[in-house]
Amino acid sequence: MTPPTPPTPSAPATVAGRALSDWSREGRFGTWYALGPADADEPPLGVLRIHRALLTPSGAQERLTSAVRSVAKLRLPGVPATVDLVREAGDVWLIVARPPVRTVADLLATGAPGLDGGSAASVLNETAQTLLALHAAGLAHGSLTPDRVVLAPDGTALLTEAALATALAASDASPQDADVTAWASLARTLGTAWAAPGTPAAELLARCSATAGSDGLAAARTTLTSGRTALPRDFLRRAALRTAAAAASAELAEPATESAAPAEPTEPAPLDVAPDARDTVLGKRHRTAPATPLTPTLDGGEEADEIVLRFGPGVPRSEEEALRALWEAPAPAPAPVRRRRRRAGRLVAAGALAVVAVVLWLLLRPTPGPAVTAVRVTAPPQRLTCGGTADVTGVVTTDGHAGPFKYRWLRSDGQRSEVLTRTARGGEHEVAVHLRWTVRGPGRFQGTAHLQVLRPGTPPLEAEAAFTYACAG
């Protein structure tokens, strides 16, 4: 149990040079605010002011820094992208890509119209994927309650406080087990609130909750995806969730005036911050008051600039196909072909069909595909300027056999492509694949493109490359 925290001093007018909105929301580890955009074309950011009392125990600030860095390196689409972690006006502030509105708790409290069993299943599927990815990396979300699940503009579900519980709140319980228990509770809650009693959707969600408790989260998600026929046909369009997310902008007040009196700064104990990590993505030109970045240099010389502020559209993809890719369930078996009974010429027809079938099998039989032996990625060496597009090239080395192989791109801004297929020709030992990544807006940015070539039964082969972007505006 987190001990009670003393009253928080009044908030300053700005953080990292950006105006704080009057909107705020209390969280388990501090107070969330909206952070004004640098220009009118940008959406507001979200910023969490960490309770000072949580940072006083020995090593708490270092654990927080490590947790934020570890989650950011995973580049999970189900977690708001981390922008910065700074110390300013006597407080530690975690800046992320969006304010936490609307949350699932908001929808449960207000009874948003149109939400149904498909809406619940979408939220549960996406949160389960994020939790499983965190657990696979040895992390956990912790404190997973409906007010920690926020909707992105497209209606997908994001987890807002990943790994903060393990960094800031001491507990004897396993945080991963706590995540599974909380997810099972969320499934029961949404199934009761959004699915009509006695319907196949309600029964599916209840079964998912029970499966999580008995067999774990992975089994529960498999139960959910394999039972998708119990959900409304148009649930992938998530129309009600999109509408609820669009209403979030009305909850954000105008930024507070800069004449507000800032709190008297009382700096916490200084951290051991690497000198080369002080100029992060926000940069000095975005700050009107000193702010010390807490994120240190990453292992292997990778800079903290990987934590990004903005990004361009990058990988083009069909939105509906991308949503379908979130539901990895086996395709339904094709309906059996209706046999035609003919009284005459059955033997002749059967013989002709057999010949055709053999020819088609020889022509169209699936090939095992080439053996992939290596992969490398190159990015443009020159710095991109305003609105530039980076053509990132992956080169896949094979044994020269003809056939398809599967791959996907992961970007350091949290975006990823669906699984793509490329067919190699016979005798072709090197096959090139491309990612075109467009960046717009003023500021500095380092983008890292990560290529995974998937191989059945074995770990994927991976490589990455980075490019830089600078635009004075």
Side-chain angles (χ1 to χ4, degrees), residues 1-385:
M1 179 71 66
T2 303
T5 56
T8 303
S10 59
T14 63
V15 173
R18 294 175 180 237
L20 279 180
S21 168
D22 289 333
W23 177 91
S24 65
R25 179 194 298 277
E26 288 300 318
R28 180 183 178 188
F29 307 107
T31 305
W32 283 98
Y33 299 90
L35 198 58
D39 57 58
D41 296 330
E42 293 181 357
L45 305 177
V47 59
L48 175 64
R49 185 189 201 184
I50 307 290
H51 285 312
R52 294 184 183 182
L54 297 176
L55 298 171
T56 54
S58 176
Q61 296 188 22
E62 289 77 8
R63 290 194 299 272
L64 173 63
T65 298
S66 176
V68 170
R69 182 178 65 179
S70 297
V71 172
K73 287 179 68 175
L74 293 177
R75 306 159 186 164
L76 297 178
V79 176
T82 303
V83 174
D84 214 343
L85 181 65
V86 301
R87 183 176 58 198
E88 185 171 335
D91 286 299
V92 173
W93 306 78
L94 172 62
I95 305 173
V96 298
R98 69 180 70 256
V101 289
R102 298 254 182 113
T103 67
V104 169
D106 295 332
L107 305 185
L108 291 169
T110 61
L115 297 173
D116 56 14
S119 306
S122 294
V123 170
L124 293 170
N125 180 45
E126 288 142 19
T127 53
Q129 288 187 94
T130 304
L131 290 174
L132 289 170
L134 288 170
H135 295 177
L139 302 170
H141 184 276
S143 184
L144 177 62
T145 51
D147 59 335
R148 269 65 164 174
V149 183
V150 63
L151 296 183
D154 64 355
T156 57
L158 309 175
L159 301 182
T160 60
E161 296 180 355
L164 295 188
T166 53
L168 299 174
S171 174
D172 296 331
S174 164
Q176 295 188 359
D177 290 345
D179 281 349
V180 178
T181 301
W183 188 91
S185 175
L186 182 65
R188 288 193 301 272
T189 299
L190 297 185
T192 301
W194 295 352
T199 61
E203 293 172 0
L204 172 64
L205 299 178
R207 191 163 64 249
C208 290
S209 176
T211 302
S214 60
D215 300 325
L217 187 56
R221 182 175 179 264
T222 299
T223 300
L224 181 63
T225 57
S226 61
R228 56 186 290 187
T229 54
L231 303 173
R233 285 188 176 183
D234 62 346
F235 80 100
L236 284 176
R237 299 184 183 275
R238 65 189 69 207
L241 291 172
R242 288 174 185 269
T243 301
S249 59
E251 298 184 25
L252 301 179
E254 292 296 321
T257 61
E258 302 217 6
S259 60
E264 185 68 23
T266 54
E267 288 289 329
L271 298 179
D272 182 13
V273 181
D276 55 356
R278 292 185 180 275
D279 188 15
T280 59
V281 173
L282 288 177
K284 293 179 181 178
R285 78 182 187 88
H286 292 290
R287 297 189 176 121
T288 58
T292 305
L294 300 184
T295 308
T297 303
L298 303 179
D299 295 336
E302 192 174 9
E303 297 297 328
D305 285 2
E306 183 189 41
I307 300 175
V308 301
L309 179 60
R310 61 175 69 83
F311 49 86
V315 182
R317 60 182 180 176
S318 163
E319 187 172 354
E320 182 125 342
E321 289 176 3
L323 294 175
R324 291 185 185 281
L326 299 175
W327 292 81
E328 298 173 1
V337 180
R338 195 175 184 180
R339 296 182 179 179
R340 298 180 179 179
R341 297 181 178 180
R342 298 182 182 276
R343 294 181 178 275
R346 286 183 296 173
L347 294 178
V348 175
L353 287 173
V355 172
V356 171
V358 170
V359 172
L360 288 176
W361 179 81
L362 291 173
L363 292 175
L364 303 177
R365 58 181 174 177
T367 58
V372 177
T373 57
V375 60
R376 66 180 188 273
V377 178
T378 59
Q382 67 275 16
R383 177 180 295 175
L384 263 66
T385 57

